Amino acid sequence: MTNIKDVAKLANVSVTTVSRVLNKHPYVSEEKREAVLDAVKKTNYHINRNAVNLSKGKTFLIGVVLPYSDHPYFGTLLKGIANAALEHNYKLVLIQTNYQKDKEKEAFIMLEQKQIDGLIICSRVSEWEVIEEYVIYGPIVLAEKNITEQVSSTYIDHYQAFYQALNHLYTNGYQSIGYCINRKNGVSSQQRERAYHDFLKEKQIPFDQNYIFDGYLNFEDGERVVQQLKQMKKPPAALIVTSDQVAAGIVTCCHNLGLQVPKDLAIIGFDNQPIAKYMGITTMEIPLSEMGENLFLQAITREKVSQKRVNVQLIERQTV
Amino acid sequence: MTNIKDVAKLANVSVTTVSRVLNKHPYVSEEKREAVLDAVKKTNYHINRNAVNLSKGKTFLIGVVLPYSDHPYFGTLLKGIANAALEHNYKLVLIQTNYQKDKEKEAFIMLEQKQIDGLIICSRVSEWEVIEEYVIYGPIVLAEKNITEQVSSTYIDHYQAFYQALNHLYTNGYQSIGYCINRKNGVSSQQRERAYHDFLKEKQIPFDQNYIFDGYLNFEDGERVVQQLKQMKKPPAALIVTSDQVAAGIVTCCHNLGLQVPKDLAIIGFDNQPIAKYMGITTMEIPLSEMGENLFLQAITREKVSQKRVNVQLIERQTV
DNA sequence: CTGAAAGCGCTAACAA
DNA sequence: TTGTTAGCGCTTTCAG
């Protein structure tokens, strides 16, 4: 493999000059520039990124931590991040964790070892203390509301969004409202739970533990929800479902069983995925792609941290 | 940032010894080992991957080229690759192309510039000539049948799989069979087209251009297919759909419109995604996750190339 | 405008 | 067992 020295020799200049030409620095005479370019061609020279990285102390690589790469929510978020990365000449290192702490840890270690310049955490199980421990090694940005001021974030106010969804149902006459999430212990779920309890208290509606459905992520999980519902003596009249995928599954299953939506069961989804539009599901739109772009931007700015709250918008369709 | 030299100084040993300890090489006395480990702790030392990479000429990074990161097909494939990568201590660099040649090109350049050790191409638009041009820079592996012997591949025989699907329909009494793909010019589509034509010829069924539906990728695209179908005077009695997502969309739409599956329209999907199981869709199972794992393995072996054909299996359910 | 030389941080051949 | 030292390939300061 030919290196910068070979090129310099062939072009009869110093390596410095070659470097200048390659990096389009000024102050190089036209003839030398051409000589260099010519030598580059002749030797089939290609710069070695590792050497550049070492010398510059920068890799132009951003790590992206996410639990699953095969779910539309993260897929769309990732798309936003990827598009922004492309635009800024960065590449992404994918760290799929399946929500395992040790895999998340690996991402932090990459940052520590300078293999990546920054880290985007789309969803996590690690504690805040762990994150704080690693902020000194580079920008860490989160897709959730930050607790400390040390990290940047682009987040949704899940409390507010959930409250809004509840209110919408209530305003439309629904009193017994349940909800459906993926991870009870997830950060967002906790915010939603608070909103739920506060809402019930405000409206003086009694709490029923059975109205909370935990562990539903995909389209096909919708059926399980409906099965649960059918076995209840007093099922909720409406359901907030924190993923359009699951919402779509529920609606489909209802159709199949002859249940009427929203008459028998009202549904509000989350995300506004294409499938929600297609199936006419009322949903809380989350601008995932834009969130991804902003996350990326935050990840490449070392200087200052920032927090950005993203607005969620109710999209009314036919399931409420 | 402290480096190996600082550690050596503090531990009163040479950098070599430090390196040996860090890399668990033999021939280090226990006391020196401890001294080193102690110094590492005290200085909060972390190895610099870029330096290692440069020195070793290896990055433990594999590039993954795929068009969309938000489609279950690629999501599942990616999951398989990611799991294998994890197991072998590699990380993945995601290169999302949206089927743009220049973005694919960037992946090749990364290989050329030694930023990645190998490249997995899940789907492509670049010509074979381009791939051949870059094989000298490192292992390139493809998820499709290779034309030259220079690259490794893990692939499905789309011709055979498609033929099998056609036969299954035919055996079940369907004569007018159409099919639904995403990219007419994609590599796999061309194989399917050949199979289709050969099959029609064999069974002496006349060809109808309108029976080929091109440009359908997601669940919500299913509706467009059904709309097309409805406007035809003589719609096909059965449809092979090369993505379970689209198949599910079609089935759902049929339900909504009161069309009976398979009576009015028989469907065979592809992939065997969870949604196909859930909706009882007959499908050709592709072991995507296993394919991903094998692709990864091929990507990290420099020495010899290999080709692996993966078998597709018919899963009979209720849509035929 | 140009080049010499000192890094960047680590590995490994070689010598001891 | 251990240390010296020469790379790995590029950037950048400094002197000219």
Side-chain angles (χ1 to χ4, degrees):
Chain A
M1 210 86 302
T2 119
N3 62 24
I4 200 174
K5 233 173 186 167
D6 303 328
V7 175
K9 205 171 293 169
L10 184 63
N12 249 311
V13 298
S14 70
V15 292
T16 314
T17 301
V18 176
S19 176
R20 287 206 182 94
V21 172
L22 260 29
N23 295 292
K24 303 192 199 307
H25 285 185
Y27 308 128
V28 181
S29 68
E30 195 49 41
E31 47 182 341
K32 297 226 171 195
R33 170 187 317 284
E34 276 168 18
V36 168
L37 260 21
D38 206 50
V40 165
K41 275 251 168 61
K42 284 206 177 87
T43 55
N44 189 32
Y45 166 79
H46 300 292
I47 201 167
N48 181 318
R49 280 296 150 201
N50 285 316
V52 178
N53 292 346
L54 175 58
S55 191
K56 291 203 171 173
K58 208 166 173 325
T59 64
F60 287 93
L61 248 31
I62 298 289
V64 181
V65 167
L66 35 73
Y68 329 106
S69 41
D70 57 349
H71 190 277
Y73 177 91
F74 294 108
T76 311
L77 196 56
L78 187 56
K79 188 206 279 184
I81 296 171
N83 286 146
L86 208 74
E87 206 171 299
H88 293 261
N89 276 307
Y90 274 74
K91 300 290 185 321
L92 301 179
V93 174
L94 186 78
I95 300 136
Q96 199 201 51
T97 65
N98 302 319
Y99 281 130
Q100 288 176 249
K101 268 187 197 165
D102 56 329
K103 298 189 186 171
E104 284 184 12
K105 182 88 173 187
E106 288 194 33
F108 292 120
I109 289 173
M110 286 187 79
L111 187 63
E112 185 178 78
Q113 300 187 345
K114 296 175 171 303
Q115 211 175 4
I116 52 180
D117 293 346
L119 192 57
I120 298 173
I121 300 181
C122 298
S123 187
R124 66 173 168 102
V125 284
S126 303
E127 296 81 4
W128 261 98
E129 293 74 53
V130 178
I131 297 173
E132 286 183 310
E133 183 185 335
Y134 286 93
V135 288
I136 56 170
Y137 300 111
I140 298 181
V141 334
L142 299 173
E144 68 183 86
K145 191 162 184 204
N146 51 296
I147 296 181
T148 73
E149 295 295 307
Q150 299 182 63
V151 301
S152 291
S153 60
T154 302
Y155 65 94
I156 298 146
D157 185 340
H158 287 288
Y159 182 95
Q160 180 269 324
F162 204 76
Y163 212 99
Q164 190 184 341
L166 284 162
N167 247 326
H168 180 68
L169 288 170
Y170 190 82
T171 310
N172 280 267
Y174 299 95
Q175 300 258 354
S176 71
I177 304 170
Y179 69 93
C180 180
I181 55 182
N182 179 31
R183 296 186 305 145
K184 203 177 180 54
N185 298 317
V187 186
S188 51
S189 297
Q190 290 173 354
Q191 297 178 39
R192 291 170 184 140
E193 194 175 347
R194 277 200 300 115
Y196 188 63
H197 283 292
D198 288 355
F199 180 83
L200 292 187
K201 193 173 289 174
E202 187 193 310
K203 305 296 184 194
Q204 301 191 306
I205 301 172
F207 171 73
D208 184 343
Q209 180 64 54
N210 295 319
Y211 279 17
I212 303 180
F213 299 82
D214 180 32
Y216 302 91
L217 180 62
N218 296 302
F219 186 96
E220 57 273 21
D221 296 332
E223 183 176 24
R224 281 166 43 224
V225 177
V226 179
Q227 295 300 349
Q228 296 280 321
L229 248 29
K230 275 177 53 184
Q231 307 198 346
M232 297 171 74
K233 308 120 274 192
K234 218 172 128 310
L239 222 44
I240 299 179
V241 185
T242 61
S243 158
D244 278 339
Q245 295 298 309
V246 180
I250 293 175
V251 170
T252 300
C253 188
C254 286
H255 271 252
N256 295 348
L257 299 177
L259 288 169
Q260 305 249 342
V261 177
K263 202 173 130 280
D264 301 323
L265 179 68
I267 299 279
I268 291 189
F270 261 83
D271 297 351
N272 197 23
Q273 297 274 351
I275 200 171
K277 182 173 184 190
Y278 164 63
M279 297 188 62
I281 297 172
T282 296
T283 192
M284 303 296 291
E285 180 182 52
I286 299 176
L288 285 171
S289 200
E290 290 81 347
M291 279 184 73
E293 282 165 33
N294 202 60
L295 283 165
F296 175 80
L297 261 22
Q298 291 174 314
I300 60 171
T301 56
R302 281 198 81 91
E303 314 80 42
K304 53 181 185 305
V305 300
S306 62
Q307 278 84 37
K308 178 168 184 183
R309 212 190 84 171
V310 159
N311 285 322
V312 170
Q313 200 196 339
L314 174 70
I315 309 282
E316 294 194 51
R317 291 200 265 249
Q318 294 96 52
T319 56
V320 169
Chain B
M1 211 82 307
T2 118
N3 62 24
I4 202 172
K5 236 174 185 167
D6 302 327
V7 175
K9 206 172 292 169
L10 183 62
N12 250 311
V13 298
S14 71
V15 292
T16 313
T17 302
V18 177
S19 175
R20 286 206 182 96
V21 172
L22 261 31
N23 294 293
K24 303 193 199 306
H25 284 186
Y27 307 129
V28 182
S29 69
E30 196 49 42
E31 50 181 342
K32 297 230 171 193
R33 171 189 315 284
E34 275 168 18
V36 168
L37 259 21
D38 206 50
V40 165
K41 275 251 167 63
K42 284 206 176 87
T43 54
N44 190 30
Y45 167 79
H46 300 292
I47 201 168
N48 182 317
R49 280 296 149 203
N50 285 316
V52 178
N53 292 347
L54 176 58
S55 191
K56 290 204 171 174
K58 208 164 171 330
T59 63
F60 286 93
L61 249 31
I62 297 290
V64 181
V65 167
L66 35 74
Y68 330 107
S69 41
D70 58 350
H71 189 279
Y73 177 90
F74 294 107
T76 310
L77 196 56
L78 187 56
K79 187 205 282 185
I81 297 172
N83 286 146
L86 207 73
E87 206 171 299
H88 293 261
N89 276 307
Y90 274 74
K91 299 290 185 322
L92 301 178
V93 175
L94 186 78
I95 300 135
Q96 199 202 51
T97 65
N98 302 320
Y99 281 129
Q100 288 175 251
K101 268 187 198 166
D102 56 330
K103 299 192 185 169
E104 285 183 14
K105 182 89 175 187
E106 288 193 34
F108 292 121
I109 290 173
M110 286 186 79
L111 188 64
E112 184 177 78
Q113 300 187 345
K114 295 175 173 302
Q115 210 174 4
I116 52 179
D117 293 346
L119 192 56
I120 297 172
I121 301 181
C122 298
S123 188
R124 67 175 168 100
V125 284
S126 302
E127 296 82 2
W128 262 99
E129 293 74 53
V130 178
I131 296 173
E132 288 184 308
E133 183 184 336
Y134 286 92
V135 288
I136 56 169
Y137 300 110
I140 298 181
V141 334
L142 299 174
E144 68 182 86
K145 190 161 185 207
N146 51 297
I147 296 180
T148 74
E149 295 296 307
Q150 300 182 63
V151 301
S152 291
S153 61
T154 302
Y155 65 94
I156 300 147
D157 184 340
H158 288 290
Y159 181 95
Q160 181 268 325
F162 203 76
Y163 213 99
Q164 190 184 343
L166 284 163
N167 248 325
H168 180 67
L169 288 171
Y170 190 81
T171 310
N172 279 267
Y174 298 96
Q175 300 259 354
S176 70
I177 304 170
Y179 69 93
C180 179
I181 53 181
N182 179 31
R183 296 185 306 145
K184 204 178 181 50
N185 298 317
V187 184
S188 50
S189 298
Q190 290 173 352
Q191 296 178 37
R192 290 170 184 139
E193 194 175 345
R194 273 200 303 116
Y196 189 64
H197 283 292
D198 289 354
F199 180 84
L200 292 188
K201 192 172 290 174
E202 187 194 311
K203 305 295 184 192
Q204 300 192 306
I205 301 172
F207 171 74
D208 184 344
Q209 180 64 52
N210 295 320
Y211 279 17
I212 303 180
F213 299 82
D214 180 32
Y216 302 91
L217 180 62
N218 296 302
F219 186 96
E220 57 272 20
D221 295 333
E223 183 175 23
R224 282 167 42 224
V225 177
V226 179
Q227 296 299 349
Q228 297 279 323
L229 247 29
K230 277 177 51 182
Q231 304 196 350
M232 297 171 74
K233 308 118 273 185
K234 217 174 130 308
L239 221 44
I240 299 179
V241 186
T242 61
S243 159
D244 278 339
Q245 295 298 307
V246 181
I250 293 174
V251 170
T252 300
C253 189
C254 284
H255 272 252
N256 295 348
L257 298 178
L259 288 170
Q260 307 249 342
V261 176
K263 205 175 127 277
D264 299 324
L265 180 67
I267 299 278
I268 291 189
F270 261 82
D271 297 352
N272 196 25
Q273 297 274 351
I275 201 171
K277 180 173 186 190
Y278 164 64
M279 297 188 63
I281 297 172
T282 295
T283 191
M284 302 297 291
E285 179 182 52
I286 299 177
L288 285 171
S289 201
E290 290 81 348
M291 278 184 74
E293 282 165 33
N294 201 60
L295 284 166
F296 175 80
L297 260 23
Q298 291 174 314
I300 60 172
T301 55
R302 282 198 80 92
E303 314 80 42
K304 54 180 185 303
V305 301
S306 62
Q307 278 86 37
K308 177 168 183 183
R309 210 190 87 171
V310 158
N311 285 322
V312 171
Q313 199 194 341
L314 174 69
I315 308 281
E316 293 194 52
R317 290 199 266 251
Q318 295 94 52
T319 56
V320 170

